[in-house]
């Protein structure tokens, strides 16, 4: 039997029946608090303001907005999703420099959009929300500045790749050179002409290696697991292209739609069907890339993964194979034994002497808004509800936690669809629920336990057909080995989030 995600019920697709019960009811003035000023949080603030919600506050623990694009400033940082697709639908950008733009450009873009739409004015910077307790129909918040605030609706947009995964390497603290995580790049540390080690072979590491290999005296890449590499052409947009985009924005809209269609057909939907012909195309492309670009047969075998292409999050790079074959590069596949004051010693006894050690070891992607303490009615603690693993109804709400919604929360299409588009879809859905609160249909709502359990069961079952369960370790997998992602097609994601099915919610 084919399991599909919950569909929009016929009743809720019809013209809103509930409106007649509340006609004449005064609209509630809602206070809405958003947590996190990354791409999702900024978008939420803009959409809410456009929808007529003006009592909106956004708490950001850092002193600058931008989320992952603020945190990741490592050499070579770029987005591997085409920029005209990795943009807000309401803010096309004619000035993208290339098809896949560098991180600094994306950060400047989100800062500009936030300023143009006035979203930056509702941000309280350097203030972390530490506690949220639902009491008497509202969320009571406490922040790191010991401010008390209230919210009728809480929107959590704290990101997925946010909490650092720091490796437990013996002797790490004894290292006498500079050592930092890829998402905390220390720009005061010189790398030119020095000996640099990079731990990890994910998207971040690969971009760092390509960017540094010609600048350093030696680059040692410590690989625990080889990665499949998808080749990439990164065309530059000419001044003429940009002028065309500027004078006729419809060109960008059309281009975005074309990119989205191809991205979904060729990648997003391919990876959720492990037997699909499109997945085979990806597999052939990556295999061919390895065979044709890596010339030394011994190095090629050390770079060859032992699992299926796209089982781990696919690494996309125009030049990693060229970089790792340069004289200054060294691929180290012997496991790390320990870190010593002057470098990294591998199990074969060799000491790799280093001046700088970069930990490109990824993120704890199951943390979400934690360590924020979230306490629902009757003292229900979110951290306890999520003690085994985080989960959410339709990726955005948790039973027992009313009027709390998440952007890029658990179980979304996190690795196979742009998170900026995911967040916009989620926000359109959430906005419809918020309108019910504003219009007096109810004072509080949260998904029912039964709807959430049915969704989760269907999700876990469908996950078995994805490429993510074909035999690799990855950050997609939860403690049971189940991918913590959306296992259906993107069309099903759009359909499920088109309109809330109120029969899945408890309205109070
Ligand atoms: P990642 O994909 O999780 O990769 C972490 C790497 O560190 C892996 O190679 C892992 O090895 C290694 N590692 C972790 N702990 C280790 C240990 N104790 N000893 C040795 N090696 C260790 O992290 P990431 O590269 O930062 O990327 C995270 C995600 O961010 C990506 O999957 C992607 O979704 C996103 N990202 C996107 C872009 C973009 O262009 N859009 C760029 C960068 C990142 P194992 O494989 O053996 O676990």
């Amino acid at each position: 039997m084919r399991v599909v995600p919950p569909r929009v019920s016929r009743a809720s697709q019809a013209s809103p029946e509930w409106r007649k019960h509340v006609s004449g009811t005064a609209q509630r003035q809602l206070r809405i608090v958003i947590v996190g000023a990354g791409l999702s949080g900024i978008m939420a603030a803009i959409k809410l303001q456009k929808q007529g919600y003006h009592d909106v506050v956004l708490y950001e623990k850092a002193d600058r907005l931008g989320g992952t694009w603020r945190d990741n400033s490592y050499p070579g940082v770029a987005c591997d999703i085409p920029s005209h697709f990795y943009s807000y639908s309401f803010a096309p950008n004619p000035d993208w420099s290339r098809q896949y733009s560098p991180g600094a450009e994306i950060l400047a873009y989100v800062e500009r959009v936030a300023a143009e739409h006035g979203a930056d004015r509702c941000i309280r910077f350097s203030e972390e929300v530490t506690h949220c307790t639902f009491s008497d129909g509202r969320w009571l918040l406490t922040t790191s500045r010991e401010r008390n605030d209230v919210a009728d609706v809480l929107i959590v947009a704290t990101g997925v790749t946010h909490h650092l995964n720091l490796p437990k390497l013996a002797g790490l603290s004894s290292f006498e050179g500079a050592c930092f995580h890829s998402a905390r790049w220390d720009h005061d540390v010189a790398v030119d002409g020095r000996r640099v080690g990079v731990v990890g072979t994910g998207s971040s590491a690969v971009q760092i290696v390509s960017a540094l290999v010609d600048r350093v005296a030696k680059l040692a890449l410590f690989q625990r697991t080889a990665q499949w590499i998808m080749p990439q052409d990164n065309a530059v947009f000419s001044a003429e292209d940009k002028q065309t985009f500027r004078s006729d924005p419809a060109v960008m809209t059309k281009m975005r739609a074309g990119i989205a269609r191809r991205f979904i057909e060729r990648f997003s939907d391919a990876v959720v069907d492990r037997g699909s012909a499109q997945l085979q195309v990806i597999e052939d492309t990556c295999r061919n890339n390895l065979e044709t670009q890596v010339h030394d047969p011994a190095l090629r075998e050390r770079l060859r993964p032992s699992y299926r292409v796209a089982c781990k999050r696919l690494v996309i790079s125009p030049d990693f194979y060229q970089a790792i074959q340069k004289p200054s590069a060294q691929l180290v596949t012997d496991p790390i034994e320990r870190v010593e004051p002057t470098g990294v010693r591998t199990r074969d006894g060799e000491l790799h002497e280093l001046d700088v050690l970069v930990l490109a070891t990824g993120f704890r992607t199951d943390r979400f808004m934690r360590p924020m303490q979230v306490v629902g009615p009757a003292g229900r603690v979110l951290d306890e509800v999520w003690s085994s693993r985080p989960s959410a109804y339709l990726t955005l709400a948790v039973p027992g936690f009313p009027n709390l919604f998440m952007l890029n929360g658990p179980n979304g299409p996190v690795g196979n669809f742009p998170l900026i588009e995911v967040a916009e879809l989620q926000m359109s859905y959430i906005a419809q629920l918020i309108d019910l609160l504003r219009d007096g249909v109810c004072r509080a709502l949260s998904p029912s336990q039964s709807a959430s359990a049915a969704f989760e069961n269907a999700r876990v079952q469908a996950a078995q057909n994805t490429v993510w369960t074909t035999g690799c370790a990855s950050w997609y997998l939860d403690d049971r080995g189940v991918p913590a992602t959306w296992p259906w097609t993107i069309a099903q994601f759009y359909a499920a989030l088109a309109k809330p099915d109120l029969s899945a919610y408890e309205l109070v």
Side-chain angles (χ1 to χ4, degrees):
M1 194 183 82
R2 185 158 165 71
V3 181
V4 292
R7 290 252 170 225
V8 181
S9 76
R10 210 172 272 169
S12 61
Q13 276 174 334
S15 90
E17 261 301 292
W18 48 263
R19 279 200 191 279
K20 67 183 178 214
H21 300 299
V22 293
S23 58
T25 309
Q27 289 194 331
R28 261 175 89 192
Q29 298 302 312
L30 297 177
R31 179 172 175 76
I32 303 176
V33 168
I34 302 166
V35 186
L39 268 81
S40 305
I42 293 295
M43 176 276 302
I46 293 171
K47 289 210 168 185
L48 286 167
Q49 287 174 3
K50 277 190 182 162
Q51 214 157 312
Y53 293 99
H54 296 296
D55 192 3
V56 175
V57 174
L58 205 166
Y59 285 99
E60 167 55 56
K61 68 180 176 182
D63 59 4
R64 190 175 181 185
L65 62 83
T68 196
W69 300 108
R70 173 202 61 222
D71 290 347
N72 287 278
S73 62
Y74 58 77
V77 61
C79 185
D80 58 16
I81 293 169
S83 300
H84 282 277
F85 190 24
Y86 198 88
S87 313
Y88 296 120
S89 61
F90 54 87
N93 178 19
D95 294 320
W96 290 124
S97 63
R98 325 178 63 103
Q99 194 173 1
Y100 302 92
S101 300
E105 238 180 89
I106 303 171
L107 180 59
Y109 165 77
V110 64
E111 286 185 322
R112 175 174 64 71
V113 174
E116 280 174 7
H117 291 263
D120 55 346
R121 290 198 293 273
C122 68
I123 305 175
R124 289 185 177 154
F125 285 107
S126 306
E127 191 159 358
E128 181 173 358
V129 176
T130 54
H131 292 82
C132 310
T133 304
F134 194 80
S135 172
D136 206 14
R138 303 185 93 186
W139 286 100
L140 309 183
L141 317 180
T142 310
T143 74
S144 53
R145 295 188 172 208
E146 292 176 20
R147 186 203 300 267
N148 294 318
D149 203 343
V150 290
D152 298 298
V153 175
L154 192 56
I155 297 178
V156 182
T158 46
V160 186
T161 51
H162 175 62
H163 297 282
L164 308 186
N165 177 43
L166 293 169
K168 292 185 182 67
L169 299 173
L172 187 57
S173 61
S174 72
F175 185 59
E176 287 172 353
C179 177
F180 42 81
H181 188 277
S182 53
R184 297 288 181 275
W185 196 272
D186 186 343
H187 292 275
D188 290 336
V189 172
V191 289
D192 293 281
R194 303 185 80 196
R195 301 162 302 174
V196 177
V198 176
V199 181
T201 50
S203 304
S204 303
V206 160
Q207 290 180 338
I208 292 166
V209 168
S210 297
L212 287 191
V213 72
D214 289 331
R215 294 172 50 187
V216 298
K218 162 182 152 181
L219 197 148
L221 176 62
F222 296 93
Q223 168 184 290
R224 187 166 70 177
T225 312
Q227 290 270 8
W228 288 109
I229 309 285
M230 184 81 173
Q232 181 197 57
D233 276 335
N234 195 0
V236 172
F237 290 118
S238 66
E240 204 182 338
D241 292 333
K242 293 179 196 171
Q243 185 49 42
T244 305
F245 297 147
R246 214 168 288 121
S247 56
D248 185 4
V251 173
M252 282 188 287
T253 311
K254 211 169 149 192
M255 193 165 74
R256 180 191 166 94
I259 296 169
R261 184 175 40 73
R262 288 191 297 278
F263 192 91
I264 291 168
E265 278 171 14
R266 294 179 190 174
F267 179 61
S268 307
D269 288 355
V271 293
V272 295
D273 180 359
R274 53 164 76 182
S276 67
Q278 276 303 327
L279 185 59
Q280 190 58 51
V281 173
I282 297 173
E283 193 149 352
D284 293 346
T285 307
C286 292
R287 282 188 191 284
N288 183 56
N289 194 26
L290 178 65
E291 302 302 340
T292 58
Q293 298 304 312
V294 182
H295 306 299
D296 171 12
L299 178 64
R300 194 187 306 140
E301 291 320 303
R302 292 166 70 218
L303 286 167
R304 187 186 301 279
S306 58
Y307 52 86
R308 279 193 69 178
V309 172
C311 181
K312 281 175 180 285
R313 204 279 195 178
L314 205 52
V315 174
I316 301 167
S317 171
D319 50 9
F320 170 69
Y321 284 150
Q322 285 79 1
I324 200 67
Q325 294 175 90
K326 295 213 169 167
S328 56
Q330 183 190 7
L331 180 72
V332 182
T333 50
D334 221 65
I336 295 173
E337 180 73 24
R338 63 178 177 276
V339 181
E340 298 185 3
T342 55
V344 170
R345 193 173 294 278
T346 42
R347 204 171 287 167
D348 56 3
E350 191 178 345
L351 176 65
H352 302 265
E353 289 190 299
L354 300 169
D355 304 305
V356 180
L357 181 60
V358 178
L359 307 172
T361 45
F363 301 88
R364 298 182 65 196
T365 55
D366 64 347
R367 302 310 295 159
F368 294 99
M369 76 273 274
R370 293 174 284 181
M372 190 166 103
Q373 273 260 323
V374 182
V375 183
R380 199 175 157 83
V381 178
L382 185 70
D383 200 29
E384 288 168 11
V385 173
W386 281 0
S387 61
S388 302
R389 68 198 70 91
S391 67
Y393 173 67
L394 281 184
T395 75
L396 45 74
V398 185
F401 293 88
N403 303 355
L404 183 152
F405 305 105
M406 292 172 288
L407 297 173
N408 282 307
N411 313 139
V414 62
N416 57 333
F417 206 53
L419 294 191
I420 193 165
E421 176 78 0
V422 170
E424 280 202 47
L425 285 167
Q426 291 168 327
M427 193 56 215
S428 300
Y429 176 103
I430 292 165
Q432 296 174 64
L433 295 175
I434 296 175
D435 285 350
L436 300 183
L437 299 169
R438 178 199 58 194
D439 294 343
V441 175
C442 55
R443 291 195 70 78
L445 54 84
S446 56
S448 67
Q449 286 286 0
S450 59
S452 302
F455 169 74
E456 179 63 3
N457 289 340
R459 195 187 68 76
V460 169
Q461 202 174 327
Q464 298 313 315
N465 192 41
T466 67
V467 71
W468 304 311
T469 55
T470 53
C472 65
S474 83
W475 61 260
Y476 294 148
L477 302 180
D478 68 18
D479 60 312
R480 304 163 296 179
V482 174
T485 52
W486 181 265
W488 298 285
T489 65
I490 295 302
Q492 284 169 295
F493 189 64
Y494 277 90
L497 268 66
K499 215 164 203 178
D501 172 2
L502 293 188
S503 68
Y505 283 85
E506 285 169 2
L507 278 59
V508 179

